[in-house]
Amino acid sequence: MALPPQLKAIQHYLRTAQEHEKRDPVVAYYCRLYAMQTGMKLDSKTPECRKFLVKLMDQLETMKKELTDSDSITHEVVGNAHIENYALKMFLYADNEDRSGRFHKNMIKSFYTSSLLLDVLSVFGELSEENIQHRKYARWKATYIHNCLKSGETPQAGPAGYEEETYDEEYGAEGGGGPSSQSAQPQSPPHSQPGFGDPNQGPGSMGGPPYPPTNYNNIHIPPGAHCPANTPAELPPPAAGEAIKPVPVPRSIPAVDPSLRSATQEGDVRLTPEDYTRAQKYCKYAGSALQYEDVGTAVQNLQKALKLLTTGKE
C-alpha cells in the first residue's frame, strides 16, 4: 500500500524497518512503532491515512506475536537498551570513519540511520541530553559530508565547522519540514534514501535556526550504551574468492572491585522499587553489551548492579 502524502515524514523510518526485517527484527518493530505513533499525530482522520495506519497497526501486532520470545519486545528496558546500543554502534562506526578521514556512502548512511534510531528511542520516553546531541550531530554530519562529496570538496573530519553551520533540524526531502512537537520529530535526509550519499543526487533545501554550540571533541557515550566503533552498519561485500576476516576488537576488562568478590547484603539494607529497577537496568545493559562482545562494559554494569543490591547505594 502506497504511503499517503500526508504521512511522507515517516517514510524513512518505514524504509529503515524494511531494511532490518531480517537483519534485526527488533529494530524493524520499533521503527514501525515510532512511525505509527508519529503518523497518528500527523493525520489519523483522512480515509487514506487511517487505512494505512490501521494496516501498520496490524503489521505491528503480527510482529509482536512472532517476537513474543524476545525480551526486547516484552520488556521495555531491554528494548530501550537494544535500540540505543544499535543506534550508537552506527554512530561510533561513522564517527570513527569520519575522524580517520574515510568519507564514503556507507558512513553517511550510518550517521543518518543512527539519527533516525535515536528518534525511535522516544517511544520509550524523553531522550537524554546526550542522545539529543548525538542525533543533531549525526544528522548534520550526514548532510555536510553528502554536500561536500556532491560538490567535489573534501570534508573536514570531526566537528570542525559544526558551530558555524546553520541547518534546519526539520528539513524534508523536497524542503518540507516535519511536525514541530518534541514527541514527533520525523526528519528526512537530503533526498530519497535509496540514493543517500550518492554525489549525483541533489540535496534538499537548508536554512533555519542554527544548532546550539556543542563541543563534540569530548562527546560522551554512557557505559553500556555503545558497541565497537569499527562495526559498520552494512559490511561491503567481499571480493570474489576473498574470505571475510573477523575484525579484532580491542578489549579492556576492568578489575573487579575486591569488596564485591564475596558480596552479601550489608546489615538492614532496604531497597526501594526504584533500586530494583536501576539494578535491573544495569543487568540488561550488561546483557546488551555482551551481544557485541563488549566485556568491559558488561563487567562495569554488573558491578554497579551488585553494589546497589548489597549496599543500597550506587
Side-chain angles (χ1 to χ4, degrees), residues 60-81:
L60 282 166
E61 284 300 315
T62 300
M63 291 186 72
K64 193 171 185 179
K65 291 177 182 177
E66 292 173 349
L67 299 171
T68 186
D69 294 332
S70 172
D71 286 344
S72 294
I73 301 299
T74 57
H75 296 87
E76 283 196 0
V77 172
V78 187
N80 190 338

Side-chain angles (χ1 to χ4, degrees), residues 8 28 30 38 73 101 106 168 178 185 220 230 251 255 260 295 310:
K8 186 176 181 179
Y30 282 112
T38 303
I73 301 299
N106 195 48
D168 182 353
Q185 294 181 334
H220 172 66
N230 56 1
R251 299 174 186 168
L260 299 177
V295 178
T310 55

Side-chain angles (χ1 to χ4, degrees), residues 44-154:
S44 61
K45 295 182 179 180
T46 58
E48 57 179 341
C49 290
R50 190 172 184 83
K51 184 177 179 180
F52 183 90
L53 292 171
V54 167
K55 185 176 179 180
L56 186 55
M57 289 179 194
D58 291 341
Q59 189 176 15
L60 282 166
E61 284 300 315
T62 300
M63 291 186 72
K64 193 171 185 179
K65 291 177 182 177
E66 292 173 349
L67 299 171
T68 186
D69 294 332
S70 172
D71 286 344
S72 294
I73 301 299
T74 57
H75 296 87
E76 283 196 0
V77 172
V78 187
N80 190 338
H82 186 106
I83 300 301
E84 187 173 31
N85 282 345
Y86 197 94
L88 293 177
K89 177 184 73 169
M90 285 192 167
F91 179 94
L92 288 173
Y93 160 72
D95 189 54
N96 184 60
E97 291 291 283
D98 173 49
R99 291 172 189 267
S100 300
R102 295 187 291 268
F103 307 108
H104 50 85
K105 180 178 179 179
N106 195 48
M107 64 91 74
I108 296 174
K109 185 173 181 180
S110 292
F111 264 134
Y112 186 71
T113 302
S114 74
S115 75
L116 294 180
L117 293 178
L118 289 170
D119 284 337
V120 171
L121 269 184
S122 64
V123 302
F124 302 104
E126 188 174 347
L127 295 183
S128 67
E129 182 60 31
E130 289 88 354
N131 284 335
I132 290 174
Q133 293 182 1
H134 294 159
R135 180 181 63 185
K136 288 181 178 180
Y137 183 73
R139 193 159 281 143
W140 169 75
K141 261 295 176 181
T143 305
Y144 166 71
I145 296 173
H146 162 76
N147 288 343
C148 284
L149 296 182
K150 177 181 178 294
S151 61
E153 300 176 16
T154 300

Side-chain angles (χ1 to χ4, degrees), residues 9-14 17 27-42 53 56 60 83 115-125 127 135 139 170 179 181-187:
I10 68 174
Q11 65 180 332
H12 299 292
Y13 303 94
L14 295 175
V27 170
Y29 175 82
Y30 282 112
C31 283
R32 289 195 175 105
L33 179 61
Y34 177 84
M36 187 271 292
Q37 291 178 352
T38 303
M40 292 290 289
K41 296 168 185 173
L42 290 172
L53 292 171
L56 186 55
L60 282 166
I83 300 301
S115 75
L116 294 180
L117 293 178
L118 289 170
D119 284 337
V120 171
L121 269 184
S122 64
V123 302
F124 302 104
L127 295 183
R135 180 181 63 185
R139 193 159 281 143
E170 298 183 291
S181 67
Q182 185 172 354
S183 59
Q185 294 181 334
Q187 299 152 13

